[in-house]
Amino acid sequence: MKPKIEDVAKVAGVSPTTVSRVLNNRGYIGEKTREKVHKAMEQLNYYPNEVARSLFIKKTFLIGLIFPTTSNPFYGQLIFHLENLASELGYKVLLCNSQGREDKERSYLRMLQRNQVDGIIAGAHNKGIEEYEDPNLPVVGIDRYLSTKIPVVSSDNYQGGEKATQLLIEKGCRSIVHINGPISLETPANMRRKAYEDVMERNGLTPLTYEYEANDSVFSLLFEENPEVDGIFASDDLIAARVMQEARNRGIDIPTKLKIVGYDGTETTRLLLPELTTIEQPVREIAVKALEILMKQINKEEDYESATILPVKLIESDTTRK
Amino acid sequence: MKPKIEDVAKVAGVSPTTVSRVLNNRGYIGEKTREKVHKAMEQLNYYPNEVARSLFIKKTFLIGLIFPTTSNPFYGQLIFHLENLASELGYKVLLCNSQGREDKERSYLRMLQRNQVDGIIAGAHNKGIEEYEDPNLPVVGIDRYLSTKIPVVSSDNYQGGEKATQLLIEKGCRSIVHINGPISLETPANMRRKAYEDVMERNGLTPLTYEYEANDSVFSLLFEENPEVDGIFASDDLIAARVMQEARNRGIDIPTKLKIVGYDGTETTRLLLPELTTIEQPVREIAVKALEILMKQINKEEDYESATILPVKLIESDTTRK
DNA sequence: AACAATATGTCATCCGGTTGACATATGAAA
DNA sequence: TTTCATATGTCAACCGGATGACATATTGTT
């Protein structure tokens, strides 16, 4: 059986209260007693039961993370930073892959509440989960408006859309198509599209957006319906990669005939596909900010921003450069 | 304050024991009482406190995952599947990014024990963590011998090394170099190198291995020291991508002058770098098997394999095909 | 009418650790 | 010698829920 405080006390020849005092550094403790206790703990290989402790102090030092999937390099990297930073602050991380499914997100949310997490950071992209309206515990959204009361952290999606579109125009593209993932109206990521449309119109060009909904035929369709396309702004790097594939299959040379700009610029993309021009999101900064705001909520500080927008960076490479 | 069983009982006009009976479906409960209780729970937005429950039943339904980083697409995907499968079994996942650091892995291990996880799946790659010798709780290693008592699940690294090397030889390569990450002798992944060396020698060729230790100069060095190199077997896809970059910079055409085989074949790699020939690891199957063995340990079944080796698949693409 | 099955309540105990109240002992400073 | 800070012990209550023992109704069955 796992040793408990009582067992440690018996071995050290002191009272349970004294052991607890040593563990929590409370009250007066003599040097020799402290040593005796530590020796006993080592001898028994004792470690405190956090579950019991959590129950009493009403705090678990647990944070729930809800994201679509760690498989995606952007989320993988974001989650990496979040876990890392949380761990430095003494918090542990419960991981939830919602897979873009509303029912999953709902049940994860319930699960996290039952497990008394101290806070939640959510970047899943499901619409209308009313549970967020009164979660009854600190929540921060990433790139996602969860409810009016929940603070959001995101990168400057509008700026990113502008930079991407402007670059393509500067490089001489005239028939520029935008392709994005499933549209959810409440998402700041939609600002990418808005910016694209604004910039296009400002330049007297007609915006045209395709939507990628797990149906691979859009890639082919895009080229069939727009043989004159000379620029594509993809809403993420994985989609950009698919576009590059399709162009290659059709013998369209990049960048002479077609220029492409992606979005995200994760480490993985930049290692595997360094030739892709992309808009880099400040992943680490997003994580830092989200956690900072969550901690403020947890510590009942009131002075946190309800929306934080971080700047993005254009990384130019071969797909837009001769 | 969060409602507790007592509050629900008061609202429903029944006793706390009856509420507990409803929650756990024990003993006799009348239909109308069950409804009253459910109504009261809904009204109060009650959800049981898992911390309290865990303390009593001595089971948390928590599993700890220790891996180097979710940033890496291979681990990201593996973790995705592990979390998914665990969640289907009613288990939750505590995520730990050890970052290849021994001290981090040690403290994560302690943390998981203090938090009373029901089991651990570890795929971190640090040597000599003696804590695994007697972890006092179920553990499964992935691609990693943790101790004599801990079961391992891995893909067939030797077979992978063979397939990769044989392919290069079949395609006419004669000067084949292998490049791998930091070598840890206890790792099954080292079998990739062993297989490479065996196949080379069996074919009268001289094996030569470079080690990549976060020092980017190896890529350049490799080509400087071996101008005649016509085949490279990289121990993972990210390294293969770097090699491709270096070759491109040097104007070496792939695949006519140089053929490359990578390793892992994750979804991300295959989307971003579909032209890379690679050895695909059965990520999902590894996750399934690891969890299956962990569950057997948790349920005190004794009939689990101490080592499981799953077959890999060669995926040929442009880097070895004209 | 008697008995069993069903339905619900009360009460106490336990899970492992924390904490406050209070008692007691020791040594050093005043 | 008195007094106080230091050091440790005992005891009980608490965190929220689970559970076993036992009592008491209310049904329905024979």
Side-chain angles (χ1 to χ4, degrees):
Chain A
M1 209 59 288
K2 279 178 196 155
K4 36 181 168 174
I5 279 198
E6 210 187 303
D7 304 312
V8 176
K10 220 164 278 171
V11 171
V14 300
S15 77
T17 305
T18 303
V19 177
S20 178
R21 280 184 185 130
V22 171
L23 277 164
N24 297 289
N25 253 315
R26 283 169 31 90
Y28 297 114
I29 317 127
E31 243 341 289
K32 345 102 207 168
T33 321
R34 173 176 273 123
E35 269 170 48
K36 271 195 301 182
V37 171
H38 279 130
K39 210 162 289 171
M41 295 198 304
E42 214 166 310
Q43 185 189 322
L44 293 172
N45 189 28
Y46 170 85
Y47 47 89
N49 183 327
E50 285 293 326
V51 173
R53 187 182 156 77
S54 293
L55 179 58
F56 188 84
I57 65 175
K58 288 166 174 292
K59 168 141 185 142
T60 54
F61 288 94
L62 272 176
I63 290 176
L65 300 187
I66 309 182
F67 286 92
T69 166
T70 47
S71 266
N72 177 296
F74 177 70
Y75 295 118
Q77 205 176 316
L78 187 55
I79 289 168
F80 168 75
H81 284 124
L82 286 170
E83 190 280 325
N84 244 311
L85 294 161
S87 140
E88 273 168 27
L89 296 169
Y91 283 80
K92 299 147 285 184
V93 152
L94 263 176
L95 179 66
C96 308
N97 289 113
S98 67
Q99 299 181 70
R101 280 173 48 190
E102 198 186 305
D103 57 326
K104 281 223 156 206
E105 183 163 3
R106 272 214 173 76
S107 71
Y108 273 128
L109 204 56
R110 276 309 219 186
M111 180 276 275
L112 292 174
Q113 292 184 120
R114 284 198 308 270
N115 283 276
Q116 317 294 124
V117 297
D118 293 339
I120 293 177
I121 296 180
H125 283 267
N126 301 308
K127 312 167 200 169
I129 299 201
E130 57 295 335
E131 280 89 338
Y132 283 117
E133 283 304 324
D134 180 27
N136 191 12
L137 94 180
V139 179
V140 173
I142 289 191
D143 238 14
R144 160 94 186 276
Y145 297 119
L146 296 158
S147 96
T148 41
K149 302 160 206 150
I150 297 178
V152 197
V153 176
S154 69
S155 61
D156 194 335
N157 288 287
Y158 192 88
Q159 184 195 34
E162 274 187 325
K163 286 191 174 182
T165 315
Q166 264 159 10
L167 179 72
L168 289 170
I169 292 176
E170 275 165 30
K171 295 286 174 169
C173 301
R174 282 299 164 266
S175 175
I176 304 172
V177 173
H178 176 50
I179 173 164
N180 61 209
I183 285 197
S184 32
L185 287 169
E186 327 281 329
T187 304
N190 246 14
M191 288 292 105
R192 298 177 197 171
R193 174 181 178 167
K194 180 80 171 67
Y196 155 77
E197 289 169 350
D198 288 356
V199 173
M200 287 294 278
E201 274 157 13
R202 208 180 300 146
N203 285 271
L205 300 170
T206 319
L208 174 60
T209 300
Y210 278 78
E211 237 175 278
Y212 169 59
E213 303 255 24
N215 181 357
D216 290 14
S217 60
V218 264
F219 298 107
S220 167
L221 199 68
L222 191 160
F223 286 99
E224 296 292 345
E225 295 183 345
N226 306 276
E228 78 297 349
V229 61
D230 57 4
I232 293 178
F233 166 36
S235 72
D236 76 54
D237 293 335
L238 267 55
I239 292 179
R242 306 287 289 273
V243 172
M244 286 170 72
Q245 269 307 107
E246 184 68 28
R248 217 172 284 140
N249 289 343
R250 291 171 177 265
I252 301 172
D253 186 68
I254 300 169
T256 53
K257 296 290 175 208
L258 177 67
K259 298 190 179 20
I260 298 179
V261 179
Y263 209 104
D264 283 350
T266 58
E267 283 166 19
T268 303
T269 314
R270 297 185 47 206
L271 269 175
L272 294 177
L273 201 60
E275 62 268 36
L276 176 66
T277 292
T278 187
I279 304 290
E280 183 191 49
Q281 295 205 58
V283 189
R284 189 167 190 285
E285 286 67 33
I286 292 176
V288 169
K289 201 70 199 175
L291 218 44
E292 182 190 315
I293 294 176
L294 191 70
M295 286 304 142
K296 282 193 175 172
Q297 287 186 69
I298 290 177
N299 300 325
K300 309 273 181 215
E301 298 169 35
E302 301 287 346
D303 61 322
Y304 53 82
E305 305 88 324
S306 69
T308 307
I309 296 178
L310 300 161
V312 295
K313 198 169 125 197
L314 170 68
I315 297 186
E316 196 174 1
S317 186
D318 303 341
T319 57
T320 56
R321 195 166 52 193
K322 174 86 215 126
Chain B
M1 206 63 287
K2 281 178 195 155
K4 36 181 169 174
I5 279 197
E6 211 187 302
D7 304 314
V8 176
K10 221 164 279 172
V11 170
V14 299
S15 75
T17 306
T18 303
V19 177
S20 178
R21 279 182 186 130
V22 171
L23 277 164
N24 298 287
N25 252 313
R26 282 170 30 90
Y28 298 112
I29 318 127
E31 243 343 286
K32 345 103 208 167
T33 319
R34 172 176 276 122
E35 267 169 50
K36 271 195 301 182
V37 171
H38 279 130
K39 210 162 289 172
M41 296 199 303
E42 214 165 312
Q43 186 188 322
L44 294 172
N45 189 26
Y46 170 86
Y47 46 87
N49 183 327
E50 284 293 325
V51 173
R53 187 182 157 78
S54 293
L55 178 60
F56 187 84
I57 65 174
K58 288 167 174 290
K59 167 139 186 144
T60 54
F61 288 94
L62 272 176
I63 291 176
L65 300 188
I66 309 182
F67 286 92
T69 165
T70 47
S71 266
N72 177 297
F74 177 70
Y75 294 118
Q77 205 176 318
L78 187 54
I79 289 168
F80 168 75
H81 284 125
L82 286 170
E83 191 280 324
N84 244 309
L85 295 162
S87 139
E88 273 168 28
L89 296 169
Y91 283 79
K92 298 146 285 184
V93 153
L94 265 176
L95 179 65
C96 309
N97 288 113
S98 67
Q99 299 182 70
R101 278 173 48 190
E102 198 185 306
D103 57 325
K104 282 223 157 208
E105 183 163 2
R106 271 214 174 75
S107 71
Y108 273 128
L109 205 56
R110 277 309 222 185
M111 180 277 273
L112 293 175
Q113 291 185 118
R114 284 198 309 272
N115 283 277
Q116 316 295 120
V117 296
D118 293 339
I120 293 177
I121 296 180
H125 283 267
N126 301 307
K127 313 166 199 171
I129 298 200
E130 58 293 337
E131 279 91 337
Y132 282 117
E133 283 303 325
D134 180 26
N136 191 13
L137 95 178
V139 179
V140 173
I142 288 191
D143 237 16
R144 159 94 187 277
Y145 297 119
L146 296 159
S147 96
T148 41
K149 301 159 208 150
I150 296 178
V152 198
V153 176
S154 69
S155 61
D156 195 335
N157 288 287
Y158 192 88
Q159 186 196 33
E162 274 186 324
K163 286 191 174 180
T165 316
Q166 265 159 11
L167 178 71
L168 289 170
I169 291 176
E170 275 165 27
K171 296 286 173 169
C173 302
R174 282 298 164 267
S175 177
I176 304 172
V177 174
H178 176 50
I179 174 162
N180 62 209
I183 286 196
S184 34
L185 286 169
E186 328 281 330
T187 303
N190 244 16
M191 287 293 103
R192 298 178 197 170
R193 175 180 179 167
K194 179 80 171 69
Y196 156 76
E197 289 168 350
D198 288 355
V199 173
M200 288 294 277
E201 274 155 14
R202 210 181 298 146
N203 284 272
L205 299 171
T206 320
L208 174 60
T209 299
Y210 278 77
E211 236 174 278
Y212 169 60
E213 302 256 23
N215 180 358
D216 291 14
S217 60
V218 266
F219 298 107
S220 166
L221 198 68
L222 191 160
F223 286 99
E224 295 292 344
E225 295 183 346
N226 307 275
E228 79 295 351
V229 60
D230 57 4
I232 293 178
F233 167 36
S235 71
D236 75 55
D237 293 335
L238 268 56
I239 293 179
R242 307 288 289 271
V243 171
M244 285 170 72
Q245 269 307 105
E246 185 68 26
R248 217 171 285 138
N249 289 343
R250 290 170 178 265
I252 300 171
D253 186 69
I254 299 169
T256 54
K257 297 291 175 208
L258 177 67
K259 296 186 176 34
I260 298 180
V261 179
Y263 209 104
D264 284 348
T266 57
E267 283 168 18
T268 303
T269 313
R270 297 186 47 206
L271 269 176
L272 293 177
L273 201 61
E275 61 266 36
L276 176 65
T277 292
T278 188
I279 305 290
E280 183 190 49
Q281 295 205 57
V283 188
R284 187 166 193 284
E285 286 68 32
I286 292 175
V288 168
K289 201 71 198 177
L291 217 45
E292 181 189 316
I293 294 176
L294 191 70
M295 286 304 141
K296 282 192 176 176
Q297 286 186 68
I298 290 177
N299 300 325
K300 310 276 180 212
E301 297 170 35
E302 302 287 345
D303 61 323
Y304 53 83
E305 306 88 325
S306 69
T308 307
I309 296 179
L310 299 160
V312 295
K313 198 168 124 196
L314 170 68
I315 296 186
E316 196 172 1
S317 185
D318 304 342
T319 58
T320 57
R321 196 167 53 192
K322 175 83 217 130

